[in-house]
Amino acid sequence: MRTVQSNRNVVYDCKYHVVFCPKYRRKVLVSPVNDRLKELFAEKARELEVMISSMEIMPDHVHLLIQCDPQFGIHRAVKHLK
């Protein structure tokens, strides 16, 4: 079942798949860093009023499924999350 969101101007259901990689794809996102990164992403998403639908952190990259207002822009959300 699809759920749509709206604001004053538009009705939308935008989901974006975002992948982050550390420099040279080094395997630095291991256990203690992994847990802290999840906390930071969740905190920043609340600040930006962006919803992270799913998050998977591998040792050399991060997968995020993000829902955000198209008028706010995915480029702004990615910029702040990075």
Side-chain angles (χ1 to χ4, degrees):
M1 185 166 134
R2 281 180 84 167
T3 58
V4 293
Q5 298 173 348
S6 64
N7 61 19
R8 293 189 334 242
N9 302 321
V10 294
V11 175
Y12 60 92
D13 183 25
C14 299
K15 294 178 179 78
Y16 302 95
H17 181 225
V18 180
V19 179
F20 294 104
C21 298
K23 192 169 184 178
Y24 306 119
R25 283 188 79 114
R26 294 196 178 165
K27 298 180 190 292
V28 295
L29 303 174
V30 290
S31 186
V33 175
N34 174 344
D35 298 333
R36 180 67 178 141
L37 188 58
K38 285 181 183 177
E39 292 172 10
L40 291 172
F41 278 148
E43 181 181 318
K44 196 63 174 175
R46 274 192 303 275
E47 276 181 32
L48 298 172
E49 297 177 3
V50 170
M51 189 172 125
I52 297 177
S53 299
S54 82
M55 177 184 339
E56 186 174 356
I57 300 178
M58 305 301 285
D60 62 343
H61 63 280
V62 177
H63 286 272
L64 298 172
L65 186 63
I66 299 174
Q67 292 179 316
C68 74
D69 185 347
Q71 291 182 327
F72 175 69
I74 186 64
H75 65 284
R76 285 192 188 123
V78 171
K79 178 182 173 182
H80 286 286
L81 289 172
K82 278 180 105 176

Coordinates of all heavy atoms in Angstrom, one line a residue:
M1 N 0.8 -1.2 0.0 CA 0.0 0.0 0.0 C 0.9 1.2 0.0 O 1.8 1.4 0.8 CB -0.9 0.0 1.2 CG -1.9 1.1 1.3 SD -3.1 0.7 2.5 CE -3.2 2.3 3.3
R2 N 0.6 2.1 -0.9 CA 1.4 3.4 -1.0 C 0.8 4.4 -0.1 O -0.4 4.6 0.0 CB 1.4 3.9 -2.4 CG 2.3 3.2 -3.3 CD 2.2 3.8 -4.7 NE 3.1 4.9 -4.8 CZ 3.4 5.5 -5.9 NH1 3.0 5.0 -7.1 NH2 4.2 6.6 -6.0
T3 N 1.7 5.1 0.5 CA 1.3 6.3 1.3 C 1.9 7.5 0.7 O 3.1 7.5 0.3 CB 1.8 6.2 2.8 OG1 3.2 6.1 2.8 CG2 1.1 5.0 3.5
V4 N 1.1 8.5 0.5 CA 1.6 9.8 -0.1 C 1.7 10.8 1.0 O 0.9 10.8 1.9 CB 0.8 10.2 -1.3 CG1 0.9 9.3 -2.4 CG2 -0.7 10.4 -0.9
Q5 N 2.6 11.8 0.8 CA 2.7 12.9 1.7 C 2.4 14.1 0.9 O 2.4 14.2 -0.3 CB 4.1 12.9 2.3 CG 4.5 11.7 3.1 CD 6.0 11.7 3.4 OE1 6.8 12.5 3.0 NE2 6.3 10.8 4.3
S6 N 2.1 15.2 1.7 CA 1.8 16.5 1.0 C 2.3 17.6 1.8 O 2.5 17.5 3.0 CB 0.3 16.6 0.7 OG -0.4 16.6 1.9
N7 N 2.4 18.7 1.1 CA 2.6 20.0 1.7 C 1.7 21.0 1.1 O 0.7 20.6 0.4 CB 4.1 20.5 1.7 CG 4.6 20.6 0.3 OD1 3.9 20.8 -0.6 ND2 5.9 20.6 0.2
R8 N 1.9 22.3 1.2 CA 1.0 23.3 0.6 C 0.8 23.2 -0.9 O -0.2 23.4 -1.4 CB 1.5 24.7 0.9 CG 1.4 25.1 2.4 CD 1.7 26.5 2.6 NE 2.5 27.1 1.6 CZ 3.7 27.7 1.7 NH1 4.2 27.7 2.9 NH2 4.3 28.3 0.7
N9 N 1.9 22.8 -1.6 CA 1.9 22.8 -3.0 C 1.8 21.5 -3.8 O 1.3 21.5 -4.9 CB 3.1 23.5 -3.5 CG 3.2 24.9 -3.0 OD1 2.2 25.6 -2.9 ND2 4.4 25.3 -2.6
V10 N 2.3 20.4 -3.2 CA 2.4 19.2 -3.9 C 2.0 18.0 -3.1 O 2.1 18.0 -1.9 CB 3.9 19.0 -4.5 CG1 4.2 20.0 -5.5 CG2 4.9 18.9 -3.4
V11 N 1.7 16.9 -3.8 CA 1.5 15.6 -3.2 C 2.6 14.7 -3.8 O 2.8 14.7 -5.0 CB 0.1 15.0 -3.5 CG1 -0.1 13.6 -3.0 CG2 -1.0 15.9 -3.0
Y12 N 3.3 14.0 -2.9 CA 4.5 13.3 -3.4 C 4.7 12.0 -2.7 O 4.2 11.8 -1.6 CB 5.7 14.2 -3.3 CG 6.0 14.6 -1.9 CD1 6.9 13.8 -1.1 CD2 5.5 15.7 -1.3 CE1 7.2 14.2 0.2 CE2 5.8 16.1 0.0 CZ 6.6 15.3 0.7 OH 6.9 15.7 2.0
D13 N 5.4 11.1 -3.3 CA 5.9 9.8 -2.8 C 7.3 9.6 -3.4 O 7.4 8.8 -4.3 CB 4.9 8.7 -3.1 CG 5.3 7.4 -2.5 OD1 6.0 7.4 -1.4 OD2 4.9 6.3 -3.0
C14 N 8.3 10.3 -2.9 CA 9.6 10.2 -3.5 C 10.5 9.4 -2.5 O 10.7 9.7 -1.4 CB 10.2 11.6 -3.6 SG 9.3 12.7 -4.7
K15 N 11.2 8.4 -3.1 CA 12.1 7.6 -2.4 C 13.4 7.6 -3.2 O 13.4 7.5 -4.4 CB 11.6 6.2 -2.2 CG 10.4 6.1 -1.3 CD 9.9 4.7 -1.2 CE 8.7 4.6 -0.3 NZ 7.5 5.0 -0.9
Y16 N 14.5 7.8 -2.5 CA 15.8 7.9 -3.2 C 16.8 6.9 -2.6 O 16.9 6.8 -1.4 CB 16.4 9.3 -3.0 CG 15.6 10.4 -3.5 CD1 14.7 11.1 -2.7 CD2 15.6 10.8 -4.9 CE1 13.9 12.1 -3.1 CE2 14.8 11.8 -5.4 CZ 13.9 12.5 -4.5 OH 13.1 13.5 -5.0
H17 N 17.5 6.2 -3.4 CA 18.5 5.2 -3.0 C 19.9 5.9 -3.1 O 20.3 6.3 -4.2 CB 18.5 4.0 -3.9 CG 19.5 2.9 -3.5 ND1 20.3 2.3 -4.4 CD2 19.8 2.4 -2.3 CE1 21.1 1.5 -3.8 NE2 20.8 1.5 -2.5
V18 N 20.5 6.1 -1.9 CA 21.8 6.8 -1.9 C 22.9 5.9 -1.4 O 22.6 5.1 -0.4 CB 21.6 8.0 -0.9 CG1 22.9 8.8 -0.8 CG2 20.5 9.0 -1.3
V19 N 24.0 5.9 -2.0 CA 25.1 5.1 -1.6 C 26.3 6.0 -1.3 O 26.7 6.9 -2.1 CB 25.5 4.1 -2.7 CG1 26.7 3.3 -2.3 CG2 24.3 3.2 -3.0
F20 N 26.9 5.8 -0.1 CA 28.1 6.6 0.3 C 29.3 5.6 0.3 O 29.1 4.5 0.8 CB 28.0 7.1 1.7 CG 27.0 8.2 1.9 CD1 25.8 7.9 2.5 CD2 27.3 9.5 1.5 CE1 24.9 8.9 2.7 CE2 26.3 10.5 1.6 CZ 25.1 10.2 2.3
C21 N 30.5 6.0 -0.1 CA 31.7 5.2 0.0 C 32.8 6.0 0.6 O 33.0 7.2 0.2 CB 32.1 4.7 -1.4 SG 31.0 3.7 -2.3
P22 N 33.5 5.4 1.6 CA 34.7 6.1 2.1 C 35.8 6.2 1.0 O 35.7 5.5 0.0 CB 35.2 5.3 3.2 CG 34.1 4.3 3.5 CD 33.3 4.2 2.3
K23 N 36.7 7.1 1.2 CA 37.8 7.3 0.2 C 38.5 6.0 0.0 O 38.9 5.3 0.9 CB 38.7 8.4 0.7 CG 39.7 8.9 -0.3 CD 40.4 10.1 0.2 CE 41.3 10.7 -0.9 NZ 42.0 11.9 -0.5
Y24 N 38.7 5.7 -1.3 CA 39.4 4.5 -1.7 C 38.6 3.2 -1.3 O 39.2 2.1 -1.2 CB 40.8 4.4 -1.2 CG 41.6 5.6 -1.6 CD1 42.2 6.4 -0.7 CD2 41.8 5.9 -3.0 CE1 42.9 7.5 -1.0 CE2 42.5 7.1 -3.3 CZ 43.1 7.8 -2.3 OH 43.8 9.0 -2.7
R25 N 37.4 3.3 -0.9 CA 36.6 2.2 -0.4 C 37.3 1.4 0.7 O 37.2 0.2 0.8 CB 36.1 1.3 -1.6 CG 35.0 1.9 -2.4 CD 34.5 0.9 -3.4 NE 33.6 -0.1 -2.8 CZ 32.3 -0.1 -3.0 NH1 31.7 0.7 -3.8 NH2 31.6 -1.0 -2.5
R26 N 37.9 2.1 1.6 CA 38.6 1.4 2.7 C 37.5 0.8 3.6 O 36.5 1.4 3.8 CB 39.5 2.3 3.4 CG 40.6 2.7 2.5 CD 41.8 3.4 3.2 NE 42.8 3.7 2.2 CZ 43.8 4.4 2.4 NH1 44.0 5.0 3.6 NH2 44.7 4.7 1.5
K27 N 37.8 -0.3 4.3 CA 36.9 -0.9 5.2 C 37.0 -0.4 6.6 O 37.5 -1.0 7.5 CB 37.1 -2.4 5.1 CG 36.9 -3.0 3.8 CD 37.2 -4.5 3.7 CE 37.2 -5.1 2.4 NZ 36.0 -5.1 1.6
V28 N 36.5 0.9 6.7 CA 36.6 1.5 8.0 C 35.3 1.6 8.8 O 35.3 2.0 9.9 CB 37.1 3.0 7.8 CG1 38.5 3.0 7.3 CG2 36.2 3.8 6.9
L29 N 34.2 1.2 8.2 CA 32.9 1.3 8.8 C 32.6 0.0 9.6 O 31.6 -0.7 9.3 CB 31.8 1.6 7.8 CG 32.0 2.9 7.0 CD1 31.0 3.0 5.9 CD2 32.0 4.1 7.9
V30 N 33.4 -0.3 10.5 CA 33.2 -1.6 11.3 C 32.5 -1.2 12.6 O 32.1 -0.1 12.9 CB 34.6 -2.3 11.6 CG1 35.1 -2.9 10.3 CG2 35.6 -1.3 12.2
S31 N 32.3 -2.2 13.5 CA 31.4 -2.1 14.7 C 31.3 -0.8 15.4 O 30.2 -0.2 15.5 CB 31.7 -3.3 15.6 OG 30.8 -3.3 16.6
P32 N 32.3 -0.3 16.1 CA 32.0 1.0 16.9 C 31.7 2.2 16.0 O 30.8 3.0 16.3 CB 33.3 1.2 17.7 CG 34.4 0.4 17.0 CD 33.7 -0.7 16.3
V33 N 32.3 2.3 14.8 CA 32.1 3.4 13.9 C 30.7 3.2 13.3 O 29.9 4.2 13.1 CB 33.1 3.4 12.8 CG1 32.8 4.5 11.8 CG2 34.5 3.7 13.4
N34 N 30.3 2.0 13.0 CA 29.0 1.6 12.4 C 27.9 2.1 13.3 O 26.9 2.7 12.8 CB 29.0 0.1 12.2 CG 27.7 -0.5 11.8 OD1 26.7 0.2 11.8 ND2 27.8 -1.7 11.3
D35 N 28.0 1.8 14.6 CA 26.9 2.2 15.5 C 26.8 3.7 15.7 O 25.6 4.2 15.7 CB 27.1 1.5 16.9 CG 27.2 0.0 16.8 OD1 26.5 -0.6 15.9 OD2 27.8 -0.6 17.7
R36 N 27.9 4.4 15.8 CA 27.8 5.8 15.9 C 27.3 6.5 14.6 O 26.6 7.4 14.7 CB 29.2 6.3 16.2 CG 29.3 7.8 16.4 CD 28.6 8.3 17.6 NE 28.8 9.7 17.7 CZ 27.8 10.6 18.1 NH1 26.6 10.2 18.4 NH2 28.1 11.9 18.1
L37 N 27.7 5.9 13.5 CA 27.2 6.5 12.2 C 25.7 6.4 12.1 O 25.0 7.3 11.6 CB 27.9 5.8 11.0 CG 27.6 6.3 9.6 CD1 28.1 7.8 9.6 CD2 28.4 5.5 8.6
K38 N 25.1 5.3 12.5 CA 23.6 5.1 12.5 C 23.0 6.1 13.4 O 22.0 6.7 13.0 CB 23.3 3.7 13.0 CG 23.5 2.6 12.0 CD 23.1 1.3 12.5 CE 23.4 0.2 11.6 NZ 23.1 -1.1 12.1
E39 N 23.5 6.4 14.6 CA 23.0 7.4 15.5 C 23.1 8.8 14.8 O 22.1 9.6 14.9 CB 23.8 7.5 16.8 CG 23.6 6.3 17.6 CD 24.6 6.3 18.8 OE1 25.2 7.3 19.1 OE2 24.7 5.2 19.5
L40 N 24.2 9.1 14.2 CA 24.3 10.4 13.6 C 23.4 10.6 12.4 O 22.8 11.7 12.2 CB 25.8 10.6 13.1 CG 26.8 10.8 14.2 CD1 28.2 10.8 13.6 CD2 26.6 12.1 15.0
F41 N 23.2 9.6 11.6 CA 22.3 9.7 10.5 C 20.9 9.9 11.0 O 20.1 10.7 10.4 CB 22.3 8.4 9.6 CG 23.4 8.4 8.6 CD1 24.0 7.2 8.2 CD2 23.9 9.6 8.0 CE1 25.0 7.1 7.2 CE2 24.9 9.5 7.0 CZ 25.4 8.3 6.6
A42 N 20.5 9.2 12.0 CA 19.1 9.3 12.6 C 18.9 10.7 13.1 O 17.8 11.3 12.9 CB 18.9 8.2 13.6
E43 N 19.9 11.2 13.8 CA 19.8 12.6 14.4 C 19.7 13.6 13.4 O 18.8 14.5 13.5 CB 21.0 12.8 15.3 CG 21.0 14.1 16.0 CD 22.3 14.3 16.8 OE1 22.7 13.3 17.5 OE2 22.9 15.4 16.8
K44 N 20.5 13.6 12.4 CA 20.5 14.6 11.3 C 19.2 14.5 10.5 O 18.6 15.5 10.1 CB 21.7 14.4 10.4 CG 22.0 15.5 9.5 CD 22.3 16.8 10.4 CE 22.7 17.9 9.5 NZ 23.0 19.1 10.2
A45 N 18.7 13.3 10.3 CA 17.4 13.1 9.5 C 16.3 13.8 10.3 O 15.4 14.4 9.6 CB 17.1 11.6 9.3
R46 N 16.3 13.6 11.6 CA 15.2 14.3 12.4 C 15.3 15.8 12.2 O 14.3 16.5 12.1 CB 15.3 13.9 13.9 CG 14.6 12.7 14.2 CD 14.5 12.5 15.7 NE 15.7 12.5 16.4 CZ 16.5 11.4 16.5 NH1 16.2 10.3 16.0 NH2 17.7 11.5 17.2
E47 N 16.5 16.4 12.3 CA 16.7 17.8 12.1 C 16.2 18.3 10.7 O 15.6 19.4 10.7 CB 18.2 18.1 12.2 CG 18.8 18.3 13.5 CD 20.3 18.7 13.4 OE1 20.7 19.3 12.5 OE2 21.0 18.3 14.4
L48 N 16.5 17.5 9.7 CA 16.1 17.9 8.3 C 14.7 17.6 8.0 O 14.2 17.9 6.9 CB 17.1 17.3 7.3 CG 18.5 17.6 7.4 CD1 19.3 16.7 6.5 CD2 18.8 19.1 7.1
E49 N 14.0 16.9 8.8 CA 12.6 16.4 8.6 C 12.6 15.5 7.3 O 11.8 15.6 6.4 CB 11.7 17.5 8.4 CG 11.5 18.3 9.7 CD 10.6 19.5 9.5 OE1 10.0 19.7 8.4 OE2 10.5 20.3 10.5
V50 N 13.6 14.6 7.3 CA 13.8 13.6 6.2 C 13.6 12.2 6.9 O 14.0 12.0 8.0 CB 15.2 13.7 5.6 CG1 15.5 12.6 4.7 CG2 15.4 15.0 4.9
M51 N 13.0 11.3 6.2 CA 12.8 10.0 6.7 C 13.7 9.0 6.1 O 13.8 8.9 4.9 CB 11.3 9.5 6.5 CG 11.0 8.3 7.3 SD 9.2 8.0 7.1 CE 9.3 6.3 6.4
I52 N 14.5 8.3 6.9 CA 15.3 7.2 6.4 C 14.5 5.9 6.5 O 14.3 5.4 7.6 CB 16.7 7.1 7.2 CG1 17.4 8.4 7.0 CG2 17.5 5.9 6.7 CD1 18.7 8.5 7.8
S53 N 14.1 5.4 5.4 CA 13.3 4.2 5.3 C 14.1 2.9 5.7 O 13.6 2.0 6.4 CB 12.6 4.0 4.0 OG 11.8 5.1 3.7
S54 N 15.3 2.8 5.1 CA 16.1 1.7 5.4 C 17.6 2.2 5.4 O 17.9 3.1 4.6 CB 15.9 0.5 4.5 OG 16.6 0.6 3.3
M55 N 18.4 1.5 6.2 CA 19.8 1.9 6.2 C 20.6 0.6 6.4 O 20.3 -0.2 7.2 CB 20.1 2.8 7.4 CG 21.5 3.2 7.7 SD 21.8 4.2 9.1 CE 20.3 4.9 9.6
E56 N 21.6 0.4 5.6 CA 22.5 -0.7 5.7 C 23.9 -0.2 5.6 O 24.3 0.4 4.6 CB 22.2 -1.8 4.6 CG 23.0 -3.0 4.8 CD 22.7 -4.1 3.8 OE1 21.7 -3.9 3.0 OE2 23.3 -5.1 3.8
I57 N 24.7 -0.5 6.6 CA 26.1 -0.1 6.6 C 27.0 -1.3 6.5 O 27.0 -2.2 7.3 CB 26.4 0.7 7.9 CG1 25.5 1.9 8.0 CG2 27.9 1.1 8.0 CD1 25.7 2.7 9.3
M58 N 27.8 -1.3 5.4 CA 28.7 -2.4 5.1 C 30.1 -1.8 5.5 O 30.2 -0.6 5.6 CB 28.7 -2.8 3.6 CG 27.3 -3.2 3.2 SD 26.6 -4.5 4.0 CE 27.6 -5.9 3.3
P59 N 31.1 -2.6 5.6 CA 32.5 -2.1 6.0 C 33.0 -1.1 5.0 O 33.8 -0.2 5.4 CB 33.4 -3.4 6.0 CG 32.4 -4.5 6.2 CD 31.1 -4.1 5.6
D60 N 32.6 -1.1 3.7 CA 33.2 -0.2 2.7 C 32.2 0.7 2.0 O 32.6 1.5 1.2 CB 34.0 -0.9 1.7 CG 33.2 -1.9 0.9 OD1 32.1 -2.2 1.3 OD2 33.7 -2.3 -0.2
H61 N 30.9 0.6 2.4 CA 29.9 1.6 1.9 C 28.6 1.6 2.7 O 28.4 0.7 3.5 CB 29.6 1.2 0.4 CG 29.0 -0.1 0.2 ND1 29.7 -1.3 0.2 CD2 27.7 -0.5 0.0 CE1 28.9 -2.3 0.0 NE2 27.7 -1.8 -0.2
V62 N 27.8 2.6 2.4 CA 26.5 2.7 3.2 C 25.4 2.9 2.1 O 25.5 3.6 1.2 CB 26.6 4.0 4.0 CG1 25.2 4.3 4.7 CG2 27.7 4.0 5.0
H63 N 24.3 2.1 2.4 CA 23.1 2.2 1.6 C 22.0 2.9 2.4 O 21.8 2.5 3.5 CB 22.6 0.8 1.2 CG 23.4 0.2 0.1 ND1 23.1 0.3 -1.2 CD2 24.4 -0.7 0.2 CE1 24.0 -0.4 -1.9 NE2 24.8 -1.0 -1.0
L64 N 21.4 3.9 1.8 CA 20.3 4.6 2.5 C 19.1 4.7 1.5 O 19.3 5.0 0.4 CB 20.6 6.0 2.9 CG 21.8 6.2 3.9 CD1 22.1 7.7 4.0 CD2 21.4 5.7 5.2
L65 N 17.9 4.5 2.0 CA 16.7 4.7 1.3 C 16.0 5.9 2.0 O 15.5 5.8 3.1 CB 15.8 3.5 1.3 CG 14.5 3.6 0.4 CD1 15.0 3.8 -1.1 CD2 13.7 2.4 0.5
I66 N 16.0 7.0 1.3 CA 15.5 8.3 1.9 C 14.2 8.8 1.3 O 14.1 8.7 0.1 CB 16.6 9.4 1.7 CG1 17.9 8.9 2.4 CG2 16.2 10.7 2.3 CD1 19.1 9.9 2.1
Q67 N 13.3 9.3 2.1 CA 12.1 9.9 1.7 C 12.2 11.4 2.1 O 12.5 11.7 3.3 CB 10.9 9.3 2.3 CG 10.6 7.9 1.8 CD 9.3 7.4 2.5 OE1 9.2 7.5 3.7 NE2 8.5 6.7 1.7
C68 N 12.1 12.3 1.1 CA 12.1 13.7 1.5 C 11.2 14.5 0.6 O 10.8 14.1 -0.5 CB 13.6 14.2 1.5 SG 14.3 14.5 -0.1
D69 N 10.9 15.7 1.0 CA 10.1 16.6 0.3 C 10.8 17.0 -1.0 O 12.0 17.5 -0.9 CB 9.8 17.8 1.2 CG 8.9 18.8 0.6 OD1 8.6 18.7 -0.6 OD2 8.4 19.7 1.3
P70 N 10.2 16.9 -2.2 CA 10.9 17.3 -3.4 C 11.3 18.8 -3.5 O 12.2 19.2 -4.1 CB 10.0 16.9 -4.5 CG 8.7 16.7 -3.9 CD 8.9 16.4 -2.4
Q71 N 10.5 19.6 -2.8 CA 10.9 21.0 -2.8 C 12.1 21.3 -1.9 O 12.8 22.3 -2.1 CB 9.6 21.8 -2.3 CG 8.5 21.8 -3.4 CD 7.4 22.6 -3.0 OE1 7.0 22.8 -1.8 NE2 6.7 23.2 -4.0
F72 N 12.3 20.5 -0.9 CA 13.5 20.6 -0.1 C 14.7 20.2 -0.9 O 15.8 20.8 -0.9 CB 13.4 19.8 1.2 CG 14.7 19.8 2.1 CD1 15.1 21.0 2.7 CD2 15.4 18.7 2.2 CE1 16.2 21.0 3.5 CE2 16.6 18.7 3.0 CZ 17.0 19.8 3.6
G73 N 14.6 19.1 -1.6 CA 15.6 18.6 -2.5 C 16.5 17.6 -2.0 O 17.0 17.7 -0.8
I74 N 16.6 16.5 -2.7 CA 17.5 15.4 -2.3 C 18.9 15.8 -2.2 O 19.7 15.4 -1.3 CB 17.3 14.2 -3.2 CG1 18.1 13.0 -2.7 CG2 17.7 14.5 -4.6 CD1 17.6 12.4 -1.4
H75 N 19.3 16.8 -3.0 CA 20.7 17.2 -3.0 C 21.1 17.9 -1.7 O 22.2 17.7 -1.2 CB 21.0 18.2 -4.2 CG 20.3 19.5 -4.1 ND1 18.9 19.6 -4.4 CD2 20.7 20.7 -3.7 CE1 18.5 20.8 -4.3 NE2 19.5 21.5 -3.9
R76 N 20.1 18.6 -1.1 CA 20.4 19.2 0.2 C 20.5 18.1 1.3 O 21.3 18.2 2.2 CB 19.3 20.2 0.6 CG 19.4 21.5 -0.2 CD 18.5 22.5 0.4 NE 18.4 23.7 -0.4 CZ 17.3 24.2 -1.0 NH1 16.2 23.6 -0.7 NH2 17.4 25.2 -1.7
A77 N 19.6 17.2 1.3 CA 19.6 16.1 2.3 C 20.9 15.3 2.2 O 21.5 15.1 3.2 CB 18.4 15.2 2.0
V78 N 21.4 15.0 1.0 CA 22.6 14.2 0.9 C 23.8 15.1 1.3 O 24.7 14.6 2.0 CB 22.8 13.8 -0.6 CG1 24.2 13.2 -0.8 CG2 21.8 12.8 -1.0
K79 N 23.8 16.3 1.0 CA 24.9 17.2 1.4 C 25.0 17.3 3.0 O 26.1 17.2 3.5 CB 24.6 18.7 0.9 CG 25.6 19.7 1.3 CD 25.3 21.0 0.8 CE 26.2 22.1 1.3 NZ 25.8 23.4 0.8
H80 N 23.9 17.4 3.7 CA 23.9 17.5 5.1 C 24.2 16.1 5.7 O 24.9 16.1 6.8 CB 22.5 18.0 5.6 CG 22.3 19.4 5.4 ND1 23.0 20.4 6.1 CD2 21.5 20.1 4.5 CE1 22.6 21.6 5.7 NE2 21.7 21.4 4.7
L81 N 23.8 15.0 5.2 CA 24.1 13.7 5.7 C 25.6 13.4 5.5 O 26.1 12.7 6.4 CB 23.2 12.6 5.1 CG 21.7 12.7 5.5 CD1 20.9 11.7 4.7 CD2 21.6 12.4 7.0
K82 N 26.1 13.8 4.4 CA 27.5 13.5 4.2 C 28.4 14.3 5.1 O 29.4 13.9 5.6 CB 28.0 13.8 2.8 CG 27.6 12.7 1.8 CD 28.0 13.0 0.4 CE 29.2 12.3 0.0 NZ 29.6 12.5 -1.4

